[in-house]
Amino acid sequence: MLPLGAGLTAVTGETGAGKTMVVSGLLLLFGGKADAARVRSGAEQASVDGRLDVGGDVDVAARVRNAGGDLDDDSGLIIRRVVSVSGRSRAHVGGAPVPLAVLGELADHLVAVHGQADQQRLTRPGRQRAALDRFAGLDLVEYQTAYAAWRDAETALTDRTTRLGELRREADLLQHGIAEIETVAPEPGEDAELAAAATRLGHADALVAAAHAAHDLLLGSAETPLEDAADVAGLLGAAVRVLAQQAGSDPALDALAERLVDVATVSADLGADLGAYAEDLDADPAQLARVEQRRAQLQALIRKYAPGPQPDLAAVLQWNKNAAERLAEIDVSDEAIAALVASRDDARDAVAALGYQLSDVRREAASRLAAAVTTELAGLAMAASRIDIAVRPRSATTAGAVLTVAGVDLGVGPDGMDEVEFLLQAHPQSPVLPLARSASGGELSRVMLALELSLAGLDPVPTMVFDEVDAGVGGRAALEVGRRLAQLARRCQVVVVTHLAQVAAYADQHIVVDRAGESGEQAVRLSDVRLVEGGERTAELARMLSGSDSRTALKHAAELLATVESERGSLLKK
């Protein structure tokens, strides 16, 4: 278990003892890339567990609860990350399994890790611009929305104009199809209705004969009376009359008589309906021809505009609807092109206006940030050095979009139209050069630390981790690095992995990582993590100063601690 308290925590140890595991574990805990090499040989998995006090951060609490997790005592958050030997990993937040992306979202609110690789990243223009924007408090959302709208408008105009001939041919085909369908003017379901009508008209004579015969059997035929013919109506009438003679003698029979009257009525109505059906059925061959002609028109549309396994009139009507929508999209009229140009120009002007606003804010903030970093460098044994921050219009030759404003071509991107460059003048007689060309490793470390100190009050994360950012620093500069980290730790929790006794001496708590020997058949190297105080801490600082715990080294370490202790009062006031 590694206890990380408030203030400044120093993590020290011999080279190869495992100090890097502290940072690796934190990175893994907050969504860093899983590496199967982290799993000890012979083991199935490696795991990292952490408990954080998120205080009153409502955003973190809400994200944890949205992910299905819970906080302990309303402020404690337990995070667990497991990496298998196959390289796959699992994450749990507040007791709930979560996607790895959730760990990254929490990290944005909780911790910032800075390693030696960050020193090189600081030389990249994008990182320098991001640092300046962070200092200026810039929110790029409005600009980025306008930029995306401009690029979309530019793409739409370019697509429409470069494909003008192709789109016009497509529009002609769509217009022809729409006109052909509108000429026929099919109605939904008309093909099924016509199919039924064709079947009925094709069997009209047989249907009429059947209806007449059924009518005559139910009601009889007035035109050709049959002697002694017993139609259904006559038989039912006779039955009704027979039962009527016994009406009132037995309620049960009376009920049956009523039902018989109902049957006789239904039979009479059905016979009448059969007669009307026979009279109304149109057996005219001309009507059948008209139906078949209409069906042929619809089938021609179906074959042409409704290909597929189940072609029907509904597919034709859908094609017509889609064609009308597509025709509106690819309008190639002069008016449509002019509207696209106007839309593009409006979007471009919005980007230009917002881009110039960003530039103004950056130039104003650049002078303040440069002054702040220069002041911090003076306290880091670089008093003769000066930082400048240049904010220039981005060259149009730079990869990306080009925006022409007032006849001037500017390179623009989602981050604006500026090139931001950090410049360092190592001493008054030296030239002002880009940071990547003028700073040594130790100077770059101190520039990064000075930048972090300048940004510390603006950074929302409560914990900052520095992994040997003091590499290449020594002597009085090392003391200044420790002093500045201690000042930073008054505002937030700071963890520093260091090889410098001058830095570790400023820590509120000191953790040592030792080799604890080897274990198992495969001689797995073990590390031990322990909190040192008193004499143990003095001995560790002596080892860091001279490589031994000789009397002289111990005396030197004790003097260093005493010097730092005498400064604590003034540090607490800053």
Side-chain angles (χ1 to χ4, degrees), residues 276-300:
Y277 171 83
E279 292 297 327
D280 293 341
L281 187 62
D282 188 358
D284 183 6
Q287 176 63 16
L288 177 60
R290 288 191 293 271
V291 169
E292 292 295 353
Q293 181 182 13
R294 179 64 176 174
R295 291 186 70 196
Q297 289 178 321
L298 297 183
Q299 284 300 319

Side-chain angles (χ1 to χ4, degrees), residues 309-473:
Q310 293 181 328
D312 56 17
L313 189 59
V316 173
L317 296 173
Q318 185 61 47
W319 184 95
N320 190 58
K321 179 176 180 293
N322 294 342
E325 293 174 352
R326 174 59 179 160
L327 196 58
E329 292 176 359
I330 62 170
D331 187 354
V332 290
S333 66
D334 292 341
E335 293 80 4
I337 300 297
L340 287 176
V341 170
S343 177
R344 187 274 313 274
D345 291 347
D346 289 344
R348 178 200 61 201
D349 294 344
V351 170
L354 291 171
Y356 278 125
Q357 290 179 20
L358 291 181
S359 299
D360 290 341
V361 173
R362 282 174 176 153
R363 279 191 290 270
E364 188 276 332
S367 60
R368 290 189 291 113
L369 179 58
V373 175
T374 298
T375 299
E376 292 294 342
L377 286 177
L380 292 171
M382 292 179 64
S385 300
R386 180 172 60 88
I387 284 286
D388 284 336
I389 301 176
V391 180
R392 312 184 189 94
R394 184 175 296 166
S395 170
T397 59
T398 304
V402 176
L403 182 66
T404 303
V405 180
V408 178
D409 291 341
L410 301 174
V412 294
D415 53 21
M417 58 179 71
D418 304 310
E419 289 180 347
V420 176
E421 188 172 36
F422 283 28
L423 306 168
L424 175 65
Q425 185 178 31
H427 54 83
Q429 288 73 41
S430 65
V432 179
L433 296 174
L435 202 58
R437 294 171 50 196
S438 61
S440 65
E443 289 173 335
L444 200 55
S445 298
R446 281 177 276 175
V447 169
M448 190 183 74
L449 180 57
L451 180 62
E452 287 299 338
L453 289 167
S454 301
L455 298 174
L458 306 171
D459 203 321
V461 297
T463 299
M464 302 184 73
V465 181
F466 295 89
D467 181 18
E468 297 193 6
V469 295
D470 49 16
V473 178

Side-chain angles (χ1 to χ4, degrees), residues 181-246:
I181 293 172
E182 290 179 349
T183 298
V184 176
E187 296 292 334
E190 186 181 0
D191 52 343
E193 294 176 3
L194 290 174
T199 301
R200 185 173 65 251
L201 291 171
H203 298 80
D205 292 338
L207 293 174
V208 169
H212 277 307
H215 170 273
D216 293 346
L217 289 171
L218 286 174
L219 301 181
S221 174
E223 297 179 0
T224 56
L226 300 175
E227 292 197 7
D228 301 326
D231 58 77
V232 172
L235 294 173
L236 289 173
V240 168
R241 289 191 295 274
V242 169
L243 294 181
Q245 295 175 2
Q246 304 301 322

Side-chain angles (χ1 to χ4, degrees), residues 211 215 218-219 265-280:
H215 170 273
L218 286 174
L219 301 181
T265 302
V266 170
S267 177
D269 291 344
L270 182 57
D273 290 342
L274 286 168
Y277 171 83
E279 292 297 327
D280 293 341

